[in-house]
Amino acid sequence: WYRPTNIFHLVSGADFGWRQSDKNLPAYYPDNPPPVREVGPGSPTGIAFGTGAAFPLRYQRALFACDWSYGRIYAVHLKPRGATFDADWEFFVSGRPLASTDIQVGPDGALYFVTGDRGTPGHLYRIYWDGAPEATPPPTTSVSPFVRLRRELEAHHGRQDARAIGRAWPLLGSPDRALRYAARVAVEHQDVMRWQQRVFDA
């Protein structure tokens, strides 16, 4: 029942519940969104974005993820991919022992994290950048057509709408898996009498 530590994009209607059994849902199941990035063995704890950190731009935009058991902090670099994300990662901090439990950007722009638990001593660490300041560019307000379409489909999740079937049905065959997922969840929330015949006509 082993599963690696994963970074997920938490989208509407998805089930990311932990199952420590043979009932795990493989990533290739159509009703189980795949991870943005598979990291490998670990014990995930705290996460924080580098927003507000006085770091090089690459790390201001990174997602920092703690791994308690292996004494690591990952810097995950997200990249848009269709209606969701892909990501690269790197080891940002590691040590033995370094049982990191939580992480946060402080008001001084440094990155703080704490360690401890299960008989290991607790410590507070501060990471700062002593290079030249790197200005943060203004945030982009543009949204890709894929993301916009996914959000439109997600607006039909959890409620019935006469327009939902017409909008979602053609996207059940989209090459973008995130759009297929959002479309399926939108359809499932509609009255089955509105769409069951389409299944047999397809």
Side-chain angles (χ1 to χ4, degrees):
W1 48 263
Y2 165 76
R3 282 189 300 173
T5 300
N6 293 318
I7 303 294
F8 285 101
H9 179 193
L10 303 184
V11 294
S12 174
D15 175 9
F16 295 111
W18 174 257
R19 296 174 179 82
Q20 190 169 340
S21 70
D22 59 358
K23 304 300 183 186
N24 288 332
L25 304 178
Y28 59 82
Y29 278 16
D31 56 348
N32 188 38
V36 169
R37 174 55 58 192
E38 182 178 296
V39 177
S43 178
T45 48
I47 63 171
F49 276 99
T51 307
F55 285 1
L57 184 59
R58 172 178 175 80
Y59 296 105
Q60 293 177 36
R61 293 176 170 168
L63 170 65
F64 295 97
C66 298
D67 175 3
W68 184 88
S69 60
Y70 285 88
R72 300 167 177 165
I73 296 176
Y74 300 94
V76 181
H77 306 284
L78 298 168
K79 302 176 293 185
R81 185 187 67 184
T84 183
F85 297 94
D86 194 359
D88 296 321
W89 62 267
E90 62 180 298
F91 293 124
F92 186 73
V93 174
S94 63
R96 294 195 177 200
L98 195 73
S100 54
T101 58
D102 208 357
I103 190 166
Q104 184 66 50
V105 174
D108 60 351
L111 190 65
Y112 291 84
F113 70 95
V114 291
T115 64
D117 197 20
R118 293 191 182 178
T120 60
H123 294 98
L124 170 65
Y125 293 89
R126 175 177 179 260
I127 302 172
Y128 65 94
W129 169 252
D130 62 358
E134 192 164 338
T136 305
T140 178
T141 57
S142 62
V143 177
S144 80
F146 297 100
V147 172
R148 188 178 299 113
L149 189 53
R150 175 177 57 78
R151 291 175 179 173
E152 289 173 3
L153 292 167
E154 289 173 345
H156 300 296
H157 294 181
R159 66 186 188 91
Q160 295 195 0
D161 187 323
R163 301 165 297 174
I165 300 298
R167 289 176 174 175
W169 200 267
L171 293 166
L172 293 173
S174 170
D176 187 306
R177 184 169 174 177
L179 289 180
R180 292 199 307 271
Y181 188 90
R184 179 185 57 79
V185 176
V187 169
E188 288 177 348
H189 281 97
Q190 308 312 306
D191 184 347
V192 69
M193 299 302 293
R194 291 179 174 269
W195 56 267
Q196 66 177 354
Q197 190 58 44
R198 290 186 182 229
V199 175
F200 299 107
D201 293 342

